[in-house]
Amino acid sequence: AQSVTQPDIHITVSEGASLELRCNYSYGATPYLFWYVQSPGQGLQLLLKYFSGDTLVQGIKGFEAEFKRSQSSFNLRKPSVHWSDAAEYFCAAGGAAGNKLTFGGGTRVLVKP
Amino acid sequence: NAGVMQNPRHLVRRRGQEARLRCSPMKGHSHVYWYRQLPEEGLKFMVYLQKENIIDESGMPKERFSAEFPKEGPSILRIQQVVRGDSAAYFCASSVDTQYFGPGTRLTVL
């Protein structure tokens, strides 16, 4: 069965510190991979996506993610977080462009001043 | 180019009533998806539609829930005889190859 796991439910980070959010997937083949961010009471905004090619993907708001086939991972990173990065982050996987997405449970990020 | 539109943003229904949630995809997108987010959980796929066709409804509950995407007009997710367990945020997404999400409809069943 297809699944996406985000091992960390909550992460607290100081403003200006680096951030890494973990995502592991289980799929029959290499899936299409996405990271979305959700602010309280809002919809999901796409941060970045991986379809193929370069395994280091750049996204919006200074985020990047690295696809590692050997580890079935697609971790999200940001070198220096801002208070506005406080939100919930979801990793998602799809079998092909246009297919349904399977989401992880989300990681809630709190940013300390 | 307007994003994915959903209305209403908030909907309150009493048990046994019907809920109708609307989704207008981004211009040029012919694929629509519905997801449900229960409190403190991630999003769960419900149904995938193209114009006038249901492509994948593997995540839809077998009873009371239906979805359509007519040739003209928005996609509709209908929940008949709502129960308290239907209280959730319902998100619509549209795509060509990447799914873009609407702001969601938050359904509260009293």
Side-chain angles (χ1 to χ4, degrees):
Chain A
Q2 302 154 350
S3 67
V4 176
T5 302
Q6 294 178 245
D8 304 304
I9 297 175
H10 294 101
I11 285 182
T12 299
V13 61
S14 297
E15 192 168 14
S18 63
L19 175 68
E20 181 166 12
L21 304 182
R22 295 183 289 164
C23 172
N24 294 96
Y25 64 87
S26 174
Y27 248 74
T30 300
Y32 290 59
L33 296 162
F34 306 84
W35 275 99
Y36 290 89
V37 61
Q38 184 181 34
S39 297
Q42 302 298 312
L44 279 73
Q45 181 182 21
L46 179 70
L47 285 176
L48 47 77
K49 61 186 178 184
Y50 173 77
F51 284 0
S52 65
D54 192 345
T55 57
L56 186 62
V57 181
Q58 301 298 319
I60 62 170
K61 303 186 178 187
F63 284 93
E64 66 177 25
E66 186 171 12
F67 169 64
K68 292 186 177 180
R69 185 191 306 273
S70 61
Q71 298 177 18
S72 297
S73 69
F74 188 55
N75 294 350
L76 182 72
R77 297 193 293 256
K78 185 169 184 177
S80 176
V81 299
H82 186 262
W83 63 266
S84 60
D85 293 323
E88 188 150 23
Y89 292 79
F90 291 97
C91 180
N99 275 20
K100 65 184 180 185
L101 296 178
T102 299
F103 280 85
T107 299
R108 187 157 295 173
V109 173
L110 301 175
V111 180
K112 293 191 302 184
Chain B
N1 189 10
V4 178
M5 310 285 284
Q6 288 188 251
N7 67 81
R9 293 290 306 274
H10 299 272
L11 182 61
V12 179
R13 286 287 179 265
R14 296 191 181 279
R15 281 179 295 168
Q17 292 183 318
E18 178 178 285
R20 282 193 177 211
L21 289 62
R22 295 175 193 78
C23 169
S24 296
M26 288 177 69
K27 189 175 181 180
H29 288 190
S30 59
H31 302 222
V32 165
Y33 310 78
W34 286 93
Y35 293 84
R36 178 164 63 176
Q37 184 179 33
L38 295 170
E40 305 300 320
E41 294 189 14
L43 279 75
K44 297 286 194 280
F45 168 78
M46 300 181 74
V47 62
Y48 163 31
L49 310 103
Q50 294 179 16
K51 285 284 188 181
E52 300 184 279
N53 286 300
I54 296 175
I55 307 301
D56 181 354
E57 57 181 347
S58 58
M60 285 280 268
K62 293 289 185 283
E63 298 178 348
R64 301 187 298 108
F65 285 72
S66 62
E68 63 177 6
F69 189 16
K71 187 176 180 181
E72 301 291 338
S75 175
I76 306 287
L77 179 68
R78 182 186 302 154
I79 310 172
Q80 296 178 300
Q81 299 176 308
V82 296
V83 301
R84 288 214 173 112
D86 296 332
S87 295
Y90 292 83
F91 291 96
C92 166
S94 72
S95 81
V96 173
D97 57 4
T98 299
Q99 292 182 33
Y100 293 91
F101 284 79
T105 294
R106 279 147 185 87
L107 172 66
T108 301
V109 179
L110 302 178

